[in-house]
Amino acid sequence: MSDRANDLRLPPIIGHRGAAADAPENTLAGFRAAARLGVSWVEFDVQLSADKVPVVIHDRRLDRTTSGHGVVRRTPLSRLRQLDCGSWFSPAFVGEPMPTLAEALSEITRLGLGANIEIKPDRGWEAMTAAVALETAAAIWPEAAPPPLVSSFDRQCLAVARQTVPQWPRGLLCRSLPSDWRRAAEEFACASVHCHHRLVTPERVAAVRKAGYQVLAYTVNDRAQAQRLWNWGVSAVFTDSPGVLSPA
Ligand code: G3P
Ligand code: MG
């Protein structure tokens, strides 16, 4: 392992979008659910509102996970704040707001969790999304806490992450391992490579680890599959169902 990868201390289970099977994804309630379920790190997705405030939501559009419609980047924060991000999931979460990145990080810090910030830019806003999100995060995140892991499918975002918060670890996020993964992981000085769990093989894990990077796999909601991946040398799996992967 490289020093960068060695310095990245991850738990075997990372809550995906909080704990997406137990509470509405990418909400403060979701982070609290993850903590209650014993998770010590959470992953979540960050985009920009129309007025360039980083907010926590996965889809480009509001329709699936909020009471609103339309595209996140065309909607100002004042409108995003009026949306209900919990009702679609369950009546128990009526009125759950869309967190800003600042609110998300404050709650995650309060809960004592680690954070994987996934930068999910809309097209044309790649560098700006990463820069604004990471400047915001750097102003909030406590120096004493383990630094967040910054990941993105978008390489411009990883380049900006390297410039903006060079001291924070970076993860090369992909579906399958791309043919140029070595070059990319080196270019962005990554600590880890994150792949879709169905596209992870023992050979790929061995190759990535040999090159000095940790391997993470998403999204694993089956205990036997998680165990298989850990046995192959995968450091951590992202799961919607922490309770299923680590039954009490
Ligand atoms: O970061 C791992 C995983 O969250 C990537 O896929 O679409 O769930 O953000 P997605
Ligand atoms: Mg994600």
Side-chain angles (χ1 to χ4, degrees), residues 1 174-179 181-182 192-217 229 232-235:
M1 289 277 157
C174 30
R175 272 188 66 76
S176 186
L177 203 56
S179 55
W181 66 268
R182 277 173 204 276
S192 53
V193 177
H194 311 182
C195 297
H196 190 285
H197 74 96
R198 284 207 198 88
L199 302 166
V200 173
T201 63
E203 294 73 26
R204 287 175 183 165
V205 176
V208 174
R209 283 170 54 98
K210 190 159 172 240
Y213 307 101
Q214 295 193 38
V215 181
L216 279 63
L229 291 159
W232 291 346
V234 167
S235 303

PDB file of all heavy atoms in Angstrom, residues 1 174-179 181-182 192-217 229 232-235:
ATOM      1  N   MET A   1       0.842  -1.209   0.000  1.00  0.00           N
ATOM      2  CA  MET A   1       0.000   0.000   0.000  1.00  0.00           C
ATOM      3  C   MET A   1       0.875   1.257   0.000  1.00  0.00           C
ATOM      4  O   MET A   1       1.919   1.287   0.644  1.00  0.00           O
ATOM      5  CB  MET A   1      -0.882   0.049   1.252  1.00  0.00           C
ATOM      6  CG  MET A   1      -1.990  -0.968   1.253  1.00  0.00           C
ATOM      7  SD  MET A   1      -3.444  -0.425   0.322  1.00  0.00           S
ATOM      8  CE  MET A   1      -4.166  -1.999  -0.061  1.00  0.00           C
ATOM      9  N   CYS A 174     -15.647   4.498  -9.995  1.00  0.00           N
ATOM     10  CA  CYS A 174     -15.947   3.981 -11.332  1.00  0.00           C
ATOM     11  C   CYS A 174     -17.012   2.895 -11.203  1.00  0.00           C
ATOM     12  O   CYS A 174     -17.349   2.491 -10.091  1.00  0.00           O
ATOM     13  CB  CYS A 174     -14.694   3.397 -11.987  1.00  0.00           C
ATOM     14  SG  CYS A 174     -13.480   2.707 -10.889  1.00  0.00           S
ATOM     15  N   ARG A 175     -17.534   2.458 -12.311  1.00  0.00           N
ATOM     16  CA  ARG A 175     -18.392   1.270 -12.264  1.00  0.00           C
ATOM     17  C   ARG A 175     -17.464   0.072 -12.345  1.00  0.00           C
ATOM     18  O   ARG A 175     -17.067  -0.476 -11.351  1.00  0.00           O
ATOM     19  CB  ARG A 175     -19.414   1.293 -13.417  1.00  0.00           C
ATOM     20  CG  ARG A 175     -20.696   2.037 -13.027  1.00  0.00           C
ATOM     21  CD  ARG A 175     -21.761   1.898 -14.080  1.00  0.00           C
ATOM     22  NE  ARG A 175     -22.236   0.519 -14.214  1.00  0.00           N
ATOM     23  CZ  ARG A 175     -23.060  -0.085 -13.357  1.00  0.00           C
ATOM     24  NH1 ARG A 175     -23.497   0.555 -12.283  1.00  0.00           N
ATOM     25  NH2 ARG A 175     -23.459  -1.327 -13.559  1.00  0.00           N
ATOM     26  N   SER A 176     -17.058  -0.271 -13.570  1.00  0.00           N
ATOM     27  CA  SER A 176     -16.009  -1.279 -13.706  1.00  0.00           C
ATOM     28  C   SER A 176     -14.668  -0.553 -13.665  1.00  0.00           C
ATOM     29  O   SER A 176     -14.615   0.663 -13.874  1.00  0.00           O
ATOM     30  CB  SER A 176     -16.175  -2.004 -15.026  1.00  0.00           C
ATOM     31  OG  SER A 176     -15.258  -3.062 -15.079  1.00  0.00           O
ATOM     32  N   LEU A 177     -13.629  -1.289 -13.399  1.00  0.00           N
ATOM     33  CA  LEU A 177     -12.298  -0.696 -13.382  1.00  0.00           C
ATOM     34  C   LEU A 177     -11.949  -0.241 -14.809  1.00  0.00           C
ATOM     35  O   LEU A 177     -11.893  -1.059 -15.718  1.00  0.00           O
ATOM     36  CB  LEU A 177     -11.341  -1.793 -12.909  1.00  0.00           C
ATOM     37  CG  LEU A 177     -10.020  -1.398 -12.291  1.00  0.00           C
ATOM     38  CD1 LEU A 177     -10.197  -0.477 -11.098  1.00  0.00           C
ATOM     39  CD2 LEU A 177      -9.266  -2.663 -11.898  1.00  0.00           C
ATOM     40  N   PRO A 178     -11.710   1.045 -15.039  1.00  0.00           N
ATOM     41  CA  PRO A 178     -11.403   1.476 -16.415  1.00  0.00           C
ATOM     42  C   PRO A 178      -9.997   1.039 -16.810  1.00  0.00           C
ATOM     43  O   PRO A 178      -9.158   0.793 -15.939  1.00  0.00           O
ATOM     44  CB  PRO A 178     -11.510   2.996 -16.347  1.00  0.00           C
ATOM     45  CG  PRO A 178     -11.280   3.351 -14.919  1.00  0.00           C
ATOM     46  CD  PRO A 178     -11.695   2.169 -14.085  1.00  0.00           C
ATOM     47  N   SER A 179      -9.753   0.971 -18.115  1.00  0.00           N
ATOM     48  CA  SER A 179      -8.449   0.461 -18.560  1.00  0.00           C
ATOM     49  C   SER A 179      -7.308   1.371 -18.092  1.00  0.00           C
ATOM     50  O   SER A 179      -6.197   0.910 -17.896  1.00  0.00           O
ATOM     51  CB  SER A 179      -8.441   0.322 -20.083  1.00  0.00           C
ATOM     52  OG  SER A 179      -8.801   1.559 -20.637  1.00  0.00           O
ATOM     53  N   TRP A 181      -7.072   2.940 -15.163  1.00  0.00           N
ATOM     54  CA  TRP A 181      -7.231   3.229 -13.732  1.00  0.00           C
ATOM     55  C   TRP A 181      -5.906   3.561 -13.057  1.00  0.00           C
ATOM     56  O   TRP A 181      -5.852   4.417 -12.174  1.00  0.00           O
ATOM     57  CB  TRP A 181      -7.927   2.065 -13.011  1.00  0.00           C
ATOM     58  CG  TRP A 181      -7.150   0.786 -12.965  1.00  0.00           C
ATOM     59  CD1 TRP A 181      -7.222  -0.227 -13.875  1.00  0.00           C
ATOM     60  CD2 TRP A 181      -6.191   0.383 -11.994  1.00  0.00           C
ATOM     61  NE1 TRP A 181      -6.369  -1.234 -13.524  1.00  0.00           N
ATOM     62  CE2 TRP A 181      -5.729  -0.883 -12.370  1.00  0.00           C
ATOM     63  CE3 TRP A 181      -5.679   0.967 -10.836  1.00  0.00           C
ATOM     64  CZ2 TRP A 181      -4.770  -1.574 -11.636  1.00  0.00           C
ATOM     65  CZ3 TRP A 181      -4.728   0.290 -10.100  1.00  0.00           C
ATOM     66  CH2 TRP A 181      -4.280  -0.967 -10.497  1.00  0.00           C
ATOM     67  N   ARG A 182      -4.817   2.937 -13.473  1.00  0.00           N
ATOM     68  CA  ARG A 182      -3.524   3.206 -12.813  1.00  0.00           C
ATOM     69  C   ARG A 182      -3.111   4.653 -13.024  1.00  0.00           C
ATOM     70  O   ARG A 182      -2.705   5.347 -12.098  1.00  0.00           O
ATOM     71  CB  ARG A 182      -2.412   2.339 -13.434  1.00  0.00           C
ATOM     72  CG  ARG A 182      -2.328   0.958 -12.894  1.00  0.00           C
ATOM     73  CD  ARG A 182      -1.305   0.174 -13.727  1.00  0.00           C
ATOM     74  NE  ARG A 182      -1.579  -1.226 -13.648  1.00  0.00           N
ATOM     75  CZ  ARG A 182      -1.155  -2.013 -12.662  1.00  0.00           C
ATOM     76  NH1 ARG A 182      -0.391  -1.531 -11.715  1.00  0.00           N
ATOM     77  NH2 ARG A 182      -1.486  -3.272 -12.630  1.00  0.00           N
ATOM     78  N   SER A 192      -7.731   5.411  -2.857  1.00  0.00           N
ATOM     79  CA  SER A 192      -8.628   4.267  -3.027  1.00  0.00           C
ATOM     80  C   SER A 192      -9.295   4.290  -4.389  1.00  0.00           C
ATOM     81  O   SER A 192      -9.354   5.336  -5.055  1.00  0.00           O
ATOM     82  CB  SER A 192      -9.704   4.287  -1.929  1.00  0.00           C
ATOM     83  OG  SER A 192     -10.357   5.540  -1.907  1.00  0.00           O
ATOM     84  N   VAL A 193      -9.797   3.115  -4.775  1.00  0.00           N
ATOM     85  CA  VAL A 193     -10.552   2.949  -6.017  1.00  0.00           C
ATOM     86  C   VAL A 193     -11.878   2.305  -5.622  1.00  0.00           C
ATOM     87  O   VAL A 193     -11.876   1.300  -4.892  1.00  0.00           O
ATOM     88  CB  VAL A 193      -9.778   2.065  -7.019  1.00  0.00           C
ATOM     89  CG1 VAL A 193     -10.601   1.828  -8.275  1.00  0.00           C
ATOM     90  CG2 VAL A 193      -8.430   2.706  -7.368  1.00  0.00           C
ATOM     91  N   HIS A 194     -13.000   2.893  -6.067  1.00  0.00           N
ATOM     92  CA  HIS A 194     -14.332   2.426  -5.667  1.00  0.00           C
ATOM     93  C   HIS A 194     -15.063   1.898  -6.892  1.00  0.00           C
ATOM     94  O   HIS A 194     -15.270   2.642  -7.845  1.00  0.00           O
ATOM     95  CB  HIS A 194     -15.165   3.576  -5.069  1.00  0.00           C
ATOM     96  CG  HIS A 194     -14.461   4.390  -4.021  1.00  0.00           C
ATOM     97  ND1 HIS A 194     -15.053   5.422  -3.341  1.00  0.00           N
ATOM     98  CD2 HIS A 194     -13.189   4.326  -3.528  1.00  0.00           C
ATOM     99  CE1 HIS A 194     -14.212   5.947  -2.477  1.00  0.00           C
ATOM    100  NE2 HIS A 194     -13.060   5.308  -2.583  1.00  0.00           N
ATOM    101  N   CYS A 195     -15.475   0.633  -6.834  1.00  0.00           N
ATOM    102  CA  CYS A 195     -16.121   0.006  -8.009  1.00  0.00           C
ATOM    103  C   CYS A 195     -17.490  -0.563  -7.634  1.00  0.00           C
ATOM    104  O   CYS A 195     -17.740  -0.889  -6.470  1.00  0.00           O
ATOM    105  CB  CYS A 195     -15.285  -1.164  -8.518  1.00  0.00           C
ATOM    106  SG  CYS A 195     -13.669  -0.699  -9.096  1.00  0.00           S
ATOM    107  N   HIS A 196     -18.311  -0.755  -8.656  1.00  0.00           N
ATOM    108  CA  HIS A 196     -19.579  -1.457  -8.471  1.00  0.00           C
ATOM    109  C   HIS A 196     -19.268  -2.889  -8.032  1.00  0.00           C
ATOM    110  O   HIS A 196     -18.426  -3.566  -8.620  1.00  0.00           O
ATOM    111  CB  HIS A 196     -20.374  -1.462  -9.773  1.00  0.00           C
ATOM    112  CG  HIS A 196     -21.774  -1.949  -9.576  1.00  0.00           C
ATOM    113  ND1 HIS A 196     -22.067  -3.278  -9.392  1.00  0.00           N
ATOM    114  CD2 HIS A 196     -22.943  -1.283  -9.493  1.00  0.00           C
ATOM    115  CE1 HIS A 196     -23.372  -3.421  -9.222  1.00  0.00           C
ATOM    116  NE2 HIS A 196     -23.925  -2.220  -9.274  1.00  0.00           N
ATOM    117  N   HIS A 197     -19.974  -3.366  -7.017  1.00  0.00           N
ATOM    118  CA  HIS A 197     -19.584  -4.649  -6.407  1.00  0.00           C
ATOM    119  C   HIS A 197     -19.690  -5.818  -7.386  1.00  0.00           C
ATOM    120  O   HIS A 197     -18.919  -6.771  -7.293  1.00  0.00           O
ATOM    121  CB  HIS A 197     -20.413  -4.911  -5.143  1.00  0.00           C
ATOM    122  CG  HIS A 197     -21.839  -5.313  -5.379  1.00  0.00           C
ATOM    123  ND1 HIS A 197     -22.247  -6.615  -5.409  1.00  0.00           N
ATOM    124  CD2 HIS A 197     -22.943  -4.578  -5.611  1.00  0.00           C
ATOM    125  CE1 HIS A 197     -23.546  -6.666  -5.627  1.00  0.00           C
ATOM    126  NE2 HIS A 197     -23.995  -5.444  -5.763  1.00  0.00           N
ATOM    127  N   ARG A 198     -20.615  -5.724  -8.375  1.00  0.00           N
ATOM    128  CA  ARG A 198     -20.759  -6.864  -9.300  1.00  0.00           C
ATOM    129  C   ARG A 198     -19.592  -6.927 -10.279  1.00  0.00           C
ATOM    130  O   ARG A 198     -19.396  -7.923 -10.957  1.00  0.00           O
ATOM    131  CB  ARG A 198     -22.065  -6.746 -10.096  1.00  0.00           C
ATOM    132  CG  ARG A 198     -23.264  -7.110  -9.267  1.00  0.00           C
ATOM    133  CD  ARG A 198     -24.425  -7.629 -10.106  1.00  0.00           C
ATOM    134  NE  ARG A 198     -25.622  -7.520  -9.288  1.00  0.00           N
ATOM    135  CZ  ARG A 198     -26.401  -6.440  -9.223  1.00  0.00           C
ATOM    136  NH1 ARG A 198     -26.141  -5.393  -9.995  1.00  0.00           N
ATOM    137  NH2 ARG A 198     -27.430  -6.404  -8.431  1.00  0.00           N
ATOM    138  N   LEU A 199     -18.840  -5.849 -10.367  1.00  0.00           N
ATOM    139  CA  LEU A 199     -17.745  -5.810 -11.332  1.00  0.00           C
ATOM    140  C   LEU A 199     -16.387  -5.975 -10.643  1.00  0.00           C
ATOM    141  O   LEU A 199     -15.346  -5.818 -11.265  1.00  0.00           O
ATOM    142  CB  LEU A 199     -17.818  -4.496 -12.121  1.00  0.00           C
ATOM    143  CG  LEU A 199     -19.174  -4.357 -12.835  1.00  0.00           C
ATOM    144  CD1 LEU A 199     -19.398  -2.944 -13.333  1.00  0.00           C
ATOM    145  CD2 LEU A 199     -19.282  -5.356 -13.975  1.00  0.00           C
ATOM    146  N   VAL A 200     -16.440  -6.305  -9.352  1.00  0.00           N
ATOM    147  CA  VAL A 200     -15.204  -6.551  -8.609  1.00  0.00           C
ATOM    148  C   VAL A 200     -14.872  -8.040  -8.704  1.00  0.00           C
ATOM    149  O   VAL A 200     -15.757  -8.889  -8.551  1.00  0.00           O
ATOM    150  CB  VAL A 200     -15.399  -6.149  -7.122  1.00  0.00           C
ATOM    151  CG1 VAL A 200     -14.208  -6.556  -6.284  1.00  0.00           C
ATOM    152  CG2 VAL A 200     -15.636  -4.645  -7.003  1.00  0.00           C
ATOM    153  N   THR A 201     -13.621  -8.338  -9.013  1.00  0.00           N
ATOM    154  CA  THR A 201     -13.162  -9.729  -9.035  1.00  0.00           C
ATOM    155  C   THR A 201     -11.921  -9.832  -8.135  1.00  0.00           C
ATOM    156  O   THR A 201     -11.261  -8.816  -7.877  1.00  0.00           O
ATOM    157  CB  THR A 201     -12.747 -10.169 -10.461  1.00  0.00           C
ATOM    158  OG1 THR A 201     -11.620  -9.354 -10.851  1.00  0.00           O
ATOM    159  CG2 THR A 201     -13.880  -9.992 -11.470  1.00  0.00           C
ATOM    160  N   PRO A 202     -11.588 -11.040  -7.694  1.00  0.00           N
ATOM    161  CA  PRO A 202     -10.383 -11.173  -6.854  1.00  0.00           C
ATOM    162  C   PRO A 202      -9.135 -10.673  -7.579  1.00  0.00           C
ATOM    163  O   PRO A 202      -8.259 -10.052  -6.967  1.00  0.00           O
ATOM    164  CB  PRO A 202     -10.287 -12.679  -6.594  1.00  0.00           C
ATOM    165  CG  PRO A 202     -11.602 -13.271  -6.955  1.00  0.00           C
ATOM    166  CD  PRO A 202     -12.306 -12.318  -7.865  1.00  0.00           C
ATOM    167  N   GLU A 203      -9.070 -10.891  -8.885  1.00  0.00           N
ATOM    168  CA  GLU A 203      -7.895 -10.462  -9.650  1.00  0.00           C
ATOM    169  C   GLU A 203      -7.791  -8.941  -9.668  1.00  0.00           C
ATOM    170  O   GLU A 203      -6.701  -8.367  -9.525  1.00  0.00           O
ATOM    171  CB  GLU A 203      -7.969 -10.972 -11.101  1.00  0.00           C
ATOM    172  CG  GLU A 203      -7.893 -12.486 -11.249  1.00  0.00           C
ATOM    173  CD  GLU A 203      -9.166 -13.218 -10.815  1.00  0.00           C
ATOM    174  OE1 GLU A 203     -10.262 -12.611 -10.856  1.00  0.00           O
ATOM    175  OE2 GLU A 203      -9.058 -14.399 -10.409  1.00  0.00           O
ATOM    176  N   ARG A 204      -8.925  -8.273  -9.858  1.00  0.00           N
ATOM    177  CA  ARG A 204      -8.907  -6.800  -9.897  1.00  0.00           C
ATOM    178  C   ARG A 204      -8.537  -6.228  -8.527  1.00  0.00           C
ATOM    179  O   ARG A 204      -7.775  -5.271  -8.442  1.00  0.00           O
ATOM    180  CB  ARG A 204     -10.274  -6.266 -10.344  1.00  0.00           C
ATOM    181  CG  ARG A 204     -10.507  -6.505 -11.814  1.00  0.00           C
ATOM    182  CD  ARG A 204     -11.896  -6.082 -12.246  1.00  0.00           C
ATOM    183  NE  ARG A 204     -12.062  -6.406 -13.663  1.00  0.00           N
ATOM    184  CZ  ARG A 204     -13.223  -6.445 -14.282  1.00  0.00           C
ATOM    185  NH1 ARG A 204     -14.341  -6.165 -13.640  1.00  0.00           N
ATOM    186  NH2 ARG A 204     -13.285  -6.741 -15.554  1.00  0.00           N
ATOM    187  N   VAL A 205      -9.083  -6.828  -7.483  1.00  0.00           N
ATOM    188  CA  VAL A 205      -8.739  -6.346  -6.137  1.00  0.00           C
ATOM    189  C   VAL A 205      -7.230  -6.493  -5.919  1.00  0.00           C
ATOM    190  O   VAL A 205      -6.559  -5.567  -5.454  1.00  0.00           O
ATOM    191  CB  VAL A 205      -9.509  -7.127  -5.046  1.00  0.00           C
ATOM    192  CG1 VAL A 205      -9.059  -6.687  -3.654  1.00  0.00           C
ATOM    193  CG2 VAL A 205     -11.011  -6.933  -5.204  1.00  0.00           C
ATOM    194  N   ALA A 206      -6.698  -7.631  -6.307  1.00  0.00           N
ATOM    195  CA  ALA A 206      -5.261  -7.876  -6.093  1.00  0.00           C
ATOM    196  C   ALA A 206      -4.424  -6.864  -6.874  1.00  0.00           C
ATOM    197  O   ALA A 206      -3.447  -6.317  -6.359  1.00  0.00           O
ATOM    198  CB  ALA A 206      -4.917  -9.307  -6.511  1.00  0.00           C
ATOM    199  N   ALA A 207      -4.831  -6.586  -8.117  1.00  0.00           N
ATOM    200  CA  ALA A 207      -4.049  -5.661  -8.955  1.00  0.00           C
ATOM    201  C   ALA A 207      -4.076  -4.248  -8.379  1.00  0.00           C
ATOM    202  O   ALA A 207      -3.044  -3.562  -8.329  1.00  0.00           O
ATOM    203  CB  ALA A 207      -4.604  -5.671 -10.383  1.00  0.00           C
ATOM    204  N   VAL A 208      -5.244  -3.819  -7.938  1.00  0.00           N
ATOM    205  CA  VAL A 208      -5.363  -2.447  -7.411  1.00  0.00           C
ATOM    206  C   VAL A 208      -4.591  -2.324  -6.098  1.00  0.00           C
ATOM    207  O   VAL A 208      -3.865  -1.355  -5.870  1.00  0.00           O
ATOM    208  CB  VAL A 208      -6.858  -2.063  -7.234  1.00  0.00           C
ATOM    209  CG1 VAL A 208      -6.991  -0.708  -6.545  1.00  0.00           C
ATOM    210  CG2 VAL A 208      -7.568  -2.046  -8.584  1.00  0.00           C
ATOM    211  N   ARG A 209      -4.718  -3.336  -5.251  1.00  0.00           N
ATOM    212  CA  ARG A 209      -3.998  -3.296  -3.970  1.00  0.00           C
ATOM    213  C   ARG A 209      -2.485  -3.343  -4.195  1.00  0.00           C
ATOM    214  O   ARG A 209      -1.724  -2.649  -3.521  1.00  0.00           O
ATOM    215  CB  ARG A 209      -4.430  -4.457  -3.073  1.00  0.00           C
ATOM    216  CG  ARG A 209      -5.795  -4.202  -2.420  1.00  0.00           C
ATOM    217  CD  ARG A 209      -6.308  -5.446  -1.742  1.00  0.00           C
ATOM    218  NE  ARG A 209      -5.338  -5.984  -0.808  1.00  0.00           N
ATOM    219  CZ  ARG A 209      -5.365  -5.770   0.508  1.00  0.00           C
ATOM    220  NH1 ARG A 209      -6.321  -5.037   1.037  1.00  0.00           N
ATOM    221  NH2 ARG A 209      -4.459  -6.312   1.289  1.00  0.00           N
ATOM    222  N   LYS A 210      -2.079  -4.154  -5.167  1.00  0.00           N
ATOM    223  CA  LYS A 210      -0.642  -4.251  -5.457  1.00  0.00           C
ATOM    224  C   LYS A 210      -0.081  -2.902  -5.915  1.00  0.00           C
ATOM    225  O   LYS A 210       1.061  -2.547  -5.630  1.00  0.00           O
ATOM    226  CB  LYS A 210      -0.429  -5.317  -6.528  1.00  0.00           C
ATOM    227  CG  LYS A 210       1.001  -5.679  -6.739  1.00  0.00           C
ATOM    228  CD  LYS A 210       1.151  -7.044  -7.390  1.00  0.00           C
ATOM    229  CE  LYS A 210       2.611  -7.249  -7.744  1.00  0.00           C
ATOM    230  NZ  LYS A 210       2.832  -7.448  -9.164  1.00  0.00           N
ATOM    231  N   ALA A 211      -0.924  -2.150  -6.625  1.00  0.00           N
ATOM    232  CA  ALA A 211      -0.496  -0.828  -7.099  1.00  0.00           C
ATOM    233  C   ALA A 211      -0.521   0.211  -5.974  1.00  0.00           C
ATOM    234  O   ALA A 211      -0.101   1.350  -6.176  1.00  0.00           O
ATOM    235  CB  ALA A 211      -1.400  -0.380  -8.242  1.00  0.00           C
ATOM    236  N   GLY A 212      -1.033  -0.173  -4.797  1.00  0.00           N
ATOM    237  CA  GLY A 212      -0.939   0.723  -3.642  1.00  0.00           C
ATOM    238  C   GLY A 212      -2.215   1.424  -3.254  1.00  0.00           C
ATOM    239  O   GLY A 212      -2.178   2.413  -2.517  1.00  0.00           O
ATOM    240  N   TYR A 213      -3.355   0.936  -3.731  1.00  0.00           N
ATOM    241  CA  TYR A 213      -4.624   1.604  -3.417  1.00  0.00           C
ATOM    242  C   TYR A 213      -5.564   0.639  -2.705  1.00  0.00           C
ATOM    243  O   TYR A 213      -5.575  -0.564  -2.996  1.00  0.00           O
ATOM    244  CB  TYR A 213      -5.303   2.087  -4.715  1.00  0.00           C
ATOM    245  CG  TYR A 213      -4.391   2.920  -5.569  1.00  0.00           C
ATOM    246  CD1 TYR A 213      -3.750   2.354  -6.681  1.00  0.00           C
ATOM    247  CD2 TYR A 213      -4.134   4.245  -5.257  1.00  0.00           C
ATOM    248  CE1 TYR A 213      -2.877   3.103  -7.459  1.00  0.00           C
ATOM    249  CE2 TYR A 213      -3.261   5.001  -6.020  1.00  0.00           C
ATOM    250  CZ  TYR A 213      -2.636   4.429  -7.123  1.00  0.00           C
ATOM    251  OH  TYR A 213      -1.772   5.173  -7.884  1.00  0.00           O
ATOM    252  N   GLN A 214      -6.386   1.199  -1.831  1.00  0.00           N
ATOM    253  CA  GLN A 214      -7.443   0.396  -1.231  1.00  0.00           C
ATOM    254  C   GLN A 214      -8.582   0.236  -2.240  1.00  0.00           C
ATOM    255  O   GLN A 214      -8.754   1.064  -3.129  1.00  0.00           O
ATOM    256  CB  GLN A 214      -7.985   1.082   0.031  1.00  0.00           C
ATOM    257  CG  GLN A 214      -6.937   1.175   1.139  1.00  0.00           C
ATOM    258  CD  GLN A 214      -7.554   1.558   2.471  1.00  0.00           C
ATOM    259  OE1 GLN A 214      -8.645   1.125   2.818  1.00  0.00           O
ATOM    260  NE2 GLN A 214      -6.825   2.351   3.241  1.00  0.00           N
ATOM    261  N   VAL A 215      -9.354  -0.832  -2.078  1.00  0.00           N
ATOM    262  CA  VAL A 215     -10.514  -1.073  -2.943  1.00  0.00           C
ATOM    263  C   VAL A 215     -11.776  -0.982  -2.097  1.00  0.00           C
ATOM    264  O   VAL A 215     -11.857  -1.589  -1.023  1.00  0.00           O
ATOM    265  CB  VAL A 215     -10.449  -2.468  -3.609  1.00  0.00           C
ATOM    266  CG1 VAL A 215     -11.658  -2.674  -4.520  1.00  0.00           C
ATOM    267  CG2 VAL A 215      -9.144  -2.635  -4.384  1.00  0.00           C
ATOM    268  N   LEU A 216     -12.752  -0.211  -2.598  1.00  0.00           N
ATOM    269  CA  LEU A 216     -14.070  -0.114  -1.957  1.00  0.00           C
ATOM    270  C   LEU A 216     -15.102  -0.587  -2.974  1.00  0.00           C
ATOM    271  O   LEU A 216     -14.882  -0.452  -4.198  1.00  0.00           O
ATOM    272  CB  LEU A 216     -14.365   1.325  -1.536  1.00  0.00           C
ATOM    273  CG  LEU A 216     -13.731   1.818  -0.213  1.00  0.00           C
ATOM    274  CD1 LEU A 216     -12.216   1.825  -0.249  1.00  0.00           C
ATOM    275  CD2 LEU A 216     -14.236   3.230   0.118  1.00  0.00           C
ATOM    276  N   ALA A 217     -16.221  -1.135  -2.491  1.00  0.00           N
ATOM    277  CA  ALA A 217     -17.243  -1.655  -3.414  1.00  0.00           C
ATOM    278  C   ALA A 217     -18.630  -1.158  -2.991  1.00  0.00           C
ATOM    279  O   ALA A 217     -18.961  -1.141  -1.807  1.00  0.00           O
ATOM    280  CB  ALA A 217     -17.220  -3.181  -3.418  1.00  0.00           C
ATOM    281  N   LEU A 229     -16.400 -10.145  -0.620  1.00  0.00           N
ATOM    282  CA  LEU A 229     -15.575  -8.994  -1.020  1.00  0.00           C
ATOM    283  C   LEU A 229     -14.485  -8.718   0.017  1.00  0.00           C
ATOM    284  O   LEU A 229     -13.321  -8.475  -0.344  1.00  0.00           O
ATOM    285  CB  LEU A 229     -16.462  -7.763  -1.222  1.00  0.00           C
ATOM    286  CG  LEU A 229     -17.388  -7.847  -2.444  1.00  0.00           C
ATOM    287  CD1 LEU A 229     -18.566  -6.879  -2.317  1.00  0.00           C
ATOM    288  CD2 LEU A 229     -16.618  -7.574  -3.724  1.00  0.00           C
ATOM    289  N   TRP A 232     -11.702 -11.063  -0.360  1.00  0.00           N
ATOM    290  CA  TRP A 232     -10.845 -10.782  -1.524  1.00  0.00           C
ATOM    291  C   TRP A 232      -9.885  -9.616  -1.263  1.00  0.00           C
ATOM    292  O   TRP A 232      -9.034  -9.311  -2.090  1.00  0.00           O
ATOM    293  CB  TRP A 232     -11.702 -10.418  -2.737  1.00  0.00           C
ATOM    294  CG  TRP A 232     -12.497 -11.550  -3.286  1.00  0.00           C
ATOM    295  CD1 TRP A 232     -12.364 -12.872  -3.016  1.00  0.00           C
ATOM    296  CD2 TRP A 232     -13.581 -11.446  -4.233  1.00  0.00           C
ATOM    297  NE1 TRP A 232     -13.287 -13.601  -3.713  1.00  0.00           N
ATOM    298  CE2 TRP A 232     -14.045 -12.748  -4.472  1.00  0.00           C
ATOM    299  CE3 TRP A 232     -14.202 -10.381  -4.897  1.00  0.00           C
ATOM    300  CZ2 TRP A 232     -15.092 -13.026  -5.344  1.00  0.00           C
ATOM    301  CZ3 TRP A 232     -15.249 -10.648  -5.758  1.00  0.00           C
ATOM    302  CH2 TRP A 232     -15.689 -11.968  -5.977  1.00  0.00           C
ATOM    303  N   GLY A 233     -10.111  -8.905  -0.143  1.00  0.00           N
ATOM    304  CA  GLY A 233      -9.224  -7.783   0.165  1.00  0.00           C
ATOM    305  C   GLY A 233      -9.867  -6.422  -0.006  1.00  0.00           C
ATOM    306  O   GLY A 233      -9.171  -5.394   0.078  1.00  0.00           O
ATOM    307  N   VAL A 234     -11.180  -6.395  -0.266  1.00  0.00           N
ATOM    308  CA  VAL A 234     -11.890  -5.114  -0.321  1.00  0.00           C
ATOM    309  C   VAL A 234     -11.916  -4.517   1.096  1.00  0.00           C
ATOM    310  O   VAL A 234     -12.247  -5.208   2.056  1.00  0.00           O
ATOM    311  CB  VAL A 234     -13.331  -5.319  -0.866  1.00  0.00           C
ATOM    312  CG1 VAL A 234     -14.193  -4.090  -0.656  1.00  0.00           C
ATOM    313  CG2 VAL A 234     -13.274  -5.702  -2.340  1.00  0.00           C
ATOM    314  N   SER A 235     -11.521  -3.247   1.217  1.00  0.00           N
ATOM    315  CA  SER A 235     -11.423  -2.625   2.548  1.00  0.00           C
ATOM    316  C   SER A 235     -12.777  -2.323   3.140  1.00  0.00           C
ATOM    317  O   SER A 235     -12.979  -2.468   4.349  1.00  0.00           O
ATOM    318  CB  SER A 235     -10.667  -1.295   2.460  1.00  0.00           C
ATOM    319  OG  SER A 235      -9.411  -1.459   1.914  1.00  0.00           O
TER     320      SER A 235
END
